[in-house]
Amino acid sequence: MGQYKTPGVYVVEKNAFPNSVVEVATAVPAFIGYTAIADNKGSPLTDKSWRITSMAEFESYFGGAPMTTFTIGENAEKSGVDADFSVFDATAKKSVDYVVGKTAGKHLLYYSMKLFFQNGGGACHVVSVGKHGADIDPGKLTKGIEVLLKEQEPTMVVIPEAMLLSAADCATLQQNMLMHCGFKMKNRFAILDVYDGYKDRQDPSGDVINAFRESVGTNFLGFGAAYYPWVNSTVVALKDVDFTHLTNVDKLQALLTDELSPVLKPAVIAPGMQTKIDQITKTVADIGKDWSAEPNATQQIEILNNTLMAISPLYSKVLLAMQRKLNLLPPSAAMAGLYTMVDNTRGVWKAPANVSLVGVTSPIVNITHDDQEDLNVTTQGKSVNAIRSFIGEGTLVWGARTLDGNSLDWRYINVRRTMIMLEESLRLASKAYVFEPNVANTWITIKSMARNFLTGIWKRGGLAGASPEDAFSVSVGLNETMTADDILEGILRVTVLVAISRPAEFIEITFQQQMQKS
């Protein structure tokens, strides 16, 4: 208040209300991986965190899909790999199994981003650590995590391409993710995939769940969740693959020639048939062209591809095998999108479970009720959430536990993420009172601010209790949360108790017969 020296009427305005608490964003994942490009109008984006809000923006800054190449090879007996297609060998008079395997371009980030946006994803950060074609380097992916130390907005960390590392490197990277979320930042949540999660637990190579539990460690498990198994998605359409994705087109030509031999070498050539034979022969031969030197190559490849699909069932099987391999994805990106969708429609306090996945046809491994018992509840406490297929309902997420399944505090994903939201919202709002006088007026203001915020959360269903008094309490003051020494040290302590709602994971309905009454 100024000193009055001139007679008159003076107006003094005083704040009647405390500052409001702005609820921080809860679903802003950060994706780390390899991209086709990393450029913003000439400015490189490699090893930088860049915010996007759509798949169109991702393609604008980071390019399109990787050029994944495949090879056709015979499936050795007892190889443990299911055959993609079979061909009857007339010479050997037996059926020969073939597999279509990836040889290069095995990057997962681009397709995972499509799955993220299909499942409700919105704003996110992308850290490109290299370009397609490079070997997956665990050091670069770890460096991508360190880039996020300077970013405040991300609330989740997702690295689908960790699945392309060796088992040991993947384990180290996932432990670094948990440490980043739970120790360095304390305001983020890691969504993990199970290494080799496309395999059944009874696979001869070993139990992938036990291997994951042994490798993930014991630190900061409450800041992460894992999902099993991988999923068959629909992000790659059949038109997105063709013969140019094969490295051994000569093998494809030989198989097509054998398949079409009844047409190419008929016992009797009817009038006009020779022209058709020449056309088919040329079509098969054109597969081996150097298309990089051809004008209008894209249109010609599309026409040739459609022609081959029309005349050869075998060619369609090869394309379907390539499409199936590209559509097999780890579920972490889809879960990040699902978290976003649930947060926006129900709130972060709703468990992200019993919700269907979009763009997913089925889990790669069918999990039964009995199979999930060990996934959900285990003596080590390292719960792994199941993705299951239900008749008439589709593919659902059927689990909502963190990796710290034995902790009554942090067992559930929504409890951990709700607490992160409350802590960050109140922390940022309280920064306005740093260096304010540590007196009763400041204490009352902060208490009112926190109570107003928590009351709003309670009204929306985020806190449990029939009344605000049952749902939370805020304490601050001398001889209540602080001592006189604390005030001399410049410390203002606020204690907030909250009753966060927990999911009804197990519903028990009791039936009992009673005597007939009439």
Side-chain angles (χ1 to χ4, degrees):
M1 182 180 297
Q3 295 293 324
Y4 301 137
K5 296 182 179 181
T6 303
V9 178
Y10 296 86
V11 175
V12 178
E13 292 184 351
K14 291 186 177 181
N15 292 333
F17 310 104
N19 287 354
S20 61
V21 179
V22 178
E23 185 179 330
V24 297
T26 57
V28 184
F31 294 91
I32 303 171
Y34 289 75
T35 58
I37 60 173
D39 180 82
N40 177 26
K41 299 179 180 178
S43 177
L45 296 178
T46 304
D47 293 329
K48 294 181 180 179
S49 180
W50 193 253
R51 189 179 191 272
I52 63 170
T53 58
S54 66
M55 195 64 202
E57 281 190 40
F58 179 89
E59 293 177 344
S60 173
Y61 295 116
F62 299 103
M67 181 57 184
T68 308
T69 57
F70 298 83
T71 184
I72 300 175
E74 290 189 22
N75 189 25
E77 292 185 11
K78 299 180 181 180
S79 65
V81 179
D82 294 334
D84 290 312
F85 62 92
S86 300
V87 175
F88 183 76
D89 188 336
T91 304
K93 295 183 179 180
K94 67 175 184 178
S95 182
V96 180
D97 293 336
Y98 289 89
V99 292
V100 178
K102 291 182 183 179
T103 56
K106 301 179 181 181
H107 303 287
L108 298 173
L109 181 60
Y110 176 81
Y111 299 121
S112 294
M113 292 301 301
K114 294 186 75 172
L115 201 56
F116 165 70
F117 285 110
Q118 284 185 8
N119 279 277
C124 63
H125 285 243
V126 177
V127 180
S128 174
V129 298
K131 295 185 178 180
H132 291 162
D135 293 334
I136 308 297
D137 186 346
K140 288 185 176 181
L141 293 174
T142 302
K143 184 179 178 181
I145 299 176
E146 295 172 356
V147 170
L148 298 176
L149 292 172
K150 301 178 181 179
E151 299 295 329
Q152 179 178 316
E153 187 180 24
T155 59
M156 294 181 277
V157 180
V158 186
I159 310 180
E161 292 186 333
M163 299 298 98
L164 302 178
L165 299 170
S166 66
D169 288 338
C170 176
T172 302
L173 182 65
Q174 290 183 335
Q175 289 180 25
N176 284 332
M177 292 171 66
L178 291 172
M179 179 171 289
H180 170 82
C181 295
F183 177 68
K184 295 181 179 179
M185 299 302 294
K186 298 182 181 179
N187 61 356
R188 289 176 186 168
F189 195 79
I191 305 178
L192 308 181
D193 298 301
V194 174
Y195 191 79
D196 283 349
Y198 56 88
K199 295 180 180 179
D200 192 279
R201 296 191 66 178
Q202 283 72 41
D203 191 86
S205 60
D207 187 343
V208 294
I209 299 298
N210 285 345
F212 171 79
R213 285 171 173 159
E214 291 172 1
S215 67
V216 77
T218 59
N219 299 324
F220 314 109
L221 297 179
F223 286 85
Y227 292 86
Y228 171 82
W230 293 15
V231 294
N232 293 312
S233 71
T234 59
V235 296
V236 180
L238 192 60
K239 63 180 180 63
D240 296 329
V241 291
D242 53 49
F243 59 86
T244 61
H245 290 256
L246 286 171
T247 57
N248 57 343
V249 292
D250 55 332
K251 184 65 177 179
L252 175 63
Q253 288 175 311
L255 291 173
L256 293 179
T257 300
D258 289 343
E259 180 195 27
L260 299 172
S261 59
V263 178
L264 299 176
K265 298 177 181 179
V268 179
I269 300 177
M273 184 178 289
Q274 187 61 48
T275 303
K276 182 178 180 181
I277 293 173
D278 293 341
Q279 290 176 342
I280 295 176
T281 303
K282 183 179 183 303
T283 298
V284 175
D286 283 346
I287 297 175
K289 267 187 181 182
D290 180 11
W291 289 98
S292 61
E294 291 290 324
N296 302 319
T298 303
Q299 291 82 355
Q300 293 188 58
I301 290 172
E302 183 178 356
I303 293 171
L304 182 56
N305 188 59
N306 292 337
T307 303
L308 288 168
M309 290 181 65
I311 65 175
S312 170
L314 173 62
Y315 182 71
S316 297
K317 291 179 181 179
V318 174
L319 294 189
L320 287 170
M322 290 192 287
Q323 180 196 22
R324 188 165 57 251
K325 297 292 173 69
L326 290 175
N327 276 326
L328 176 59
L329 295 173
S332 57
M335 291 309 308
L338 191 142
Y339 282 19
T340 304
M341 185 271 291
V342 172
D343 287 3
N344 291 335
T345 56
R346 297 287 302 276
V348 67
W349 43 83
K350 164 66 174 71
N354 198 3
V355 183
S356 61
L357 289 170
V358 180
V360 171
T361 58
S362 66
I364 189 67
V365 177
N366 189 26
I367 296 176
T368 66
H369 178 82
D370 292 335
D371 294 336
Q372 194 179 356
E373 287 186 4
D374 180 64
L375 290 176
N376 198 53
V377 180
T378 177
T379 55
Q380 302 94 341
K382 298 178 183 178
S383 301
V384 177
N385 299 309
I387 297 175
R388 295 176 58 183
S389 183
F390 293 90
I391 298 175
E393 295 180 280
T395 303
L396 304 182
V397 179
W398 206 246
R401 292 195 173 202
T402 68
L403 287 166
D404 199 1
N406 283 348
S407 169
L408 294 179
D409 285 310
W410 311 117
R411 173 177 295 173
Y412 295 111
I413 295 169
N414 59 301
V415 173
R416 175 75 270 178
R417 296 182 66 237
T418 300
M419 187 62 81
I420 288 175
M421 181 272 291
L422 297 176
E423 292 170 352
E424 281 298 289
S425 300
L426 289 171
R427 182 183 71 85
L428 294 175
S430 298
K431 286 180 67 177
Y433 299 96
V434 175
F435 298 112
E436 288 293 310
N438 198 354
V439 295
N441 285 342
T442 303
W443 305 339
I444 293 172
T445 302
I446 292 178
K447 185 174 182 177
S448 300
M449 176 186 71
R451 284 188 60 84
N452 290 342
F453 171 65
L454 294 172
T455 300
I457 298 296
W458 169 75
K459 288 181 177 179
R460 292 160 56 193
L463 299 177
S467 65
E469 289 72 22
D470 295 336
F472 64 86
S473 66
V474 182
S475 303
V476 57
L478 183 61
N479 298 325
E480 187 175 1
T481 60
M482 296 176 287
T483 65
D485 287 339
D486 289 332
I487 295 177
L488 292 176
E489 293 286 348
I491 299 173
L492 194 162
R493 300 186 191 279
V494 183
T495 300
V496 180
L497 305 179
V498 290
I500 299 178
S501 61
R502 283 166 165 74
E505 187 178 15
F506 310 103
I507 297 178
E508 179 181 297
I509 302 175
T510 301
F511 287 87
Q512 184 176 349
Q513 294 189 55
Q514 66 176 14
M515 296 291 290
Q516 182 175 337
K517 297 181 179 179
S518 63

